[in-house]
Coordinates of all heavy atoms in Angstrom, one line a residue:
I1 N 147.2 -135.3 108.5 CA 146.2 -136.3 108.4 C 145.7 -136.5 106.9 O 145.4 -135.6 106.2 CB 145.0 -135.9 109.3 CG1 145.3 -135.8 110.7 CG2 143.8 -136.9 109.0 CD1 144.2 -135.3 111.6
V2 N 145.8 -137.8 106.5 CA 145.4 -138.2 105.1 C 144.1 -139.0 105.1 O 143.5 -139.2 104.1 CB 146.5 -138.8 104.4 CG1 147.7 -137.9 104.1 CG2 147.0 -140.1 105.1
D3 N 143.7 -139.6 106.3 CA 142.5 -140.3 106.4 C 142.0 -140.1 107.9 O 142.6 -140.5 108.8 CB 142.7 -141.8 106.2 CG 141.4 -142.6 106.2 OD1 140.4 -142.1 106.7 OD2 141.4 -143.7 105.7
A4 N 140.9 -139.3 108.0 CA 140.3 -138.9 109.3 C 139.5 -140.1 109.9 O 139.2 -140.0 111.1 CB 139.5 -137.7 109.2
N5 N 139.1 -141.1 109.1 CA 138.5 -142.3 109.6 C 137.3 -142.0 110.5 O 137.2 -142.6 111.6 CB 139.5 -143.2 110.3 CG 139.0 -144.6 110.5 OD1 138.2 -145.1 109.8 ND2 139.6 -145.2 111.6
N6 N 136.4 -141.2 110.1 CA 135.1 -140.9 110.8 C 135.4 -140.3 112.2 O 134.6 -140.4 113.1 CB 134.3 -142.1 111.0 CG 133.9 -142.7 109.7 OD1 133.4 -142.0 108.8 ND2 134.0 -144.0 109.5
S7 N 136.6 -139.6 112.4 CA 136.9 -139.0 113.6 C 136.4 -137.5 113.5 O 135.8 -137.1 112.5 CB 138.4 -139.0 113.9 OG 139.0 -138.1 113.0
N8 N 136.6 -136.7 114.6 CA 136.2 -135.3 114.6 C 137.3 -134.5 114.0 O 137.3 -133.3 114.0 CB 135.8 -134.8 115.9 CG 137.1 -134.9 116.9 OD1 138.0 -135.6 116.7 ND2 136.9 -134.3 118.1
L9 N 138.3 -135.1 113.4 CA 139.5 -134.4 112.7 C 139.2 -134.4 111.3 O 138.3 -135.0 110.7 CB 140.8 -135.1 113.1 CG 141.1 -135.1 114.5 CD1 142.3 -136.1 114.8 CD2 141.4 -133.8 115.1
S10 N 140.1 -133.7 110.5 CA 139.9 -133.5 109.1 C 141.1 -133.8 108.3 O 142.3 -133.5 108.8 CB 139.5 -132.0 108.8 OG 138.3 -131.7 109.4
V11 N 140.9 -134.3 107.1 CA 142.0 -134.5 106.2 C 142.8 -133.2 106.0 O 142.1 -132.1 105.8 CB 141.6 -135.1 104.8 CG1 142.7 -135.1 103.8 CG2 141.0 -136.5 105.1
G12 N 144.1 -133.2 106.0 CA 144.8 -132.0 105.8 C 145.3 -131.3 107.0 O 146.1 -130.4 107.0
Q13 N 144.7 -131.6 108.2 CA 145.1 -131.0 109.4 C 146.5 -131.4 109.8 O 147.0 -132.6 109.6 CB 144.2 -131.4 110.6 CG 142.9 -130.6 110.5 CD 142.0 -130.9 111.7 OE1 141.7 -132.1 112.0 NE2 141.6 -129.8 112.5
R14 N 147.3 -130.5 110.3 CA 148.7 -130.7 110.7 C 148.7 -131.1 112.2 O 148.0 -130.4 113.0 CB 149.5 -129.4 110.5 CG 149.5 -129.1 109.0 CD 149.8 -127.6 108.7 NE 150.8 -127.0 109.6 CZ 152.1 -126.9 109.3 NH1 152.6 -127.3 108.2 NH2 152.9 -126.3 110.2
V15 N 149.5 -132.1 112.5 CA 149.4 -132.7 113.9 C 150.8 -133.1 114.4 O 151.7 -133.3 113.6 CB 148.5 -133.9 114.0 CG1 147.0 -133.5 113.7 CG2 148.9 -135.0 113.0
A16 N 150.9 -133.1 115.7 CA 152.1 -133.7 116.4 C 151.6 -134.8 117.3 O 150.4 -134.8 117.6 CB 152.8 -132.6 117.2
Y17 N 152.5 -135.7 117.7 CA 152.1 -136.9 118.4 C 153.2 -137.4 119.3 O 154.3 -137.4 118.9 CB 151.7 -137.9 117.3 CG 151.3 -139.3 117.9 CD1 150.2 -139.5 118.6 CD2 152.2 -140.4 117.6 CE1 149.9 -140.7 119.0 CE2 151.8 -141.6 118.1 CZ 150.7 -141.8 118.8 OH 150.4 -143.0 119.2
L18 N 152.7 -137.9 120.4 CA 153.6 -138.6 121.3 C 152.8 -139.9 121.7 O 151.7 -139.8 122.2 CB 153.9 -137.9 122.6 CG 154.5 -138.6 123.8 CD1 155.9 -139.1 123.4 CD2 154.6 -137.7 125.0
G19 N 153.4 -141.0 121.3 CA 152.7 -142.2 121.5 C 153.4 -143.3 122.4 O 154.5 -143.0 122.9
P20 N 152.8 -144.4 122.5 CA 153.5 -145.5 123.2 C 154.5 -146.2 122.3 O 154.6 -145.9 121.2 CB 152.3 -146.5 123.4 CG 151.4 -146.2 122.2 CD 151.5 -144.8 121.9
I21 N 155.2 -147.1 123.0 CA 156.1 -148.0 122.2 C 155.3 -148.7 121.2 O 154.2 -149.2 121.5 CB 156.9 -149.0 123.1 CG1 157.7 -148.2 124.1 CG2 157.6 -150.0 122.3 CD1 158.3 -149.1 125.2
G22 N 155.7 -148.6 119.9 CA 154.9 -149.2 118.9 C 154.2 -148.2 118.1 O 153.3 -148.5 117.2
A23 N 154.4 -146.9 118.3 CA 153.8 -145.9 117.5 C 154.2 -145.9 116.1 O 153.5 -145.3 115.2 CB 154.1 -144.5 118.1
S24 N 155.3 -146.5 115.8 CA 155.7 -146.7 114.4 C 155.8 -145.5 113.6 O 155.3 -145.3 112.4 CB 154.8 -147.7 113.7 OG 154.8 -148.9 114.4
M25 N 156.5 -144.5 114.1 CA 156.7 -143.2 113.4 C 157.8 -143.2 112.3 O 157.8 -142.3 111.4 CB 157.0 -142.1 114.4 CG 155.9 -141.8 115.3 SD 154.4 -141.3 114.6 CE 154.8 -139.7 113.9
Y26 N 158.6 -144.2 112.3 CA 159.7 -144.2 111.3 C 159.2 -144.9 110.0 O 159.7 -145.8 109.5 CB 160.9 -145.0 111.7 CG 161.7 -144.4 112.9 CD1 161.3 -143.3 113.6 CD2 162.9 -145.0 113.3 CE1 162.0 -142.8 114.6 CE2 163.6 -144.5 114.4 CZ 163.1 -143.4 115.0 OH 163.9 -142.9 116.0
A27 N 158.1 -144.3 109.4 CA 157.5 -144.8 108.3 C 156.9 -143.6 107.5 O 156.7 -142.5 108.1 CB 156.4 -145.8 108.6

């Protein structure tokens, strides 16, 4: 995470993700 955007998460946290079509991970 590089921008937590006022969420309960923090910059620097390591994460994994499964999203919908359009998650745009190839970037």
Side-chain angles (χ1 to χ4, degrees):
I1 296 173
V2 294
D3 184 342
N5 194 26
N6 299 315
S7 69
N8 61 347
L9 299 168
S10 302
V11 170
Q13 284 184 303
R14 298 156 41 93
V15 294
Y17 175 69
L18 168 63
I21 295 170
S24 301
M25 294 300 293
Y26 292 7

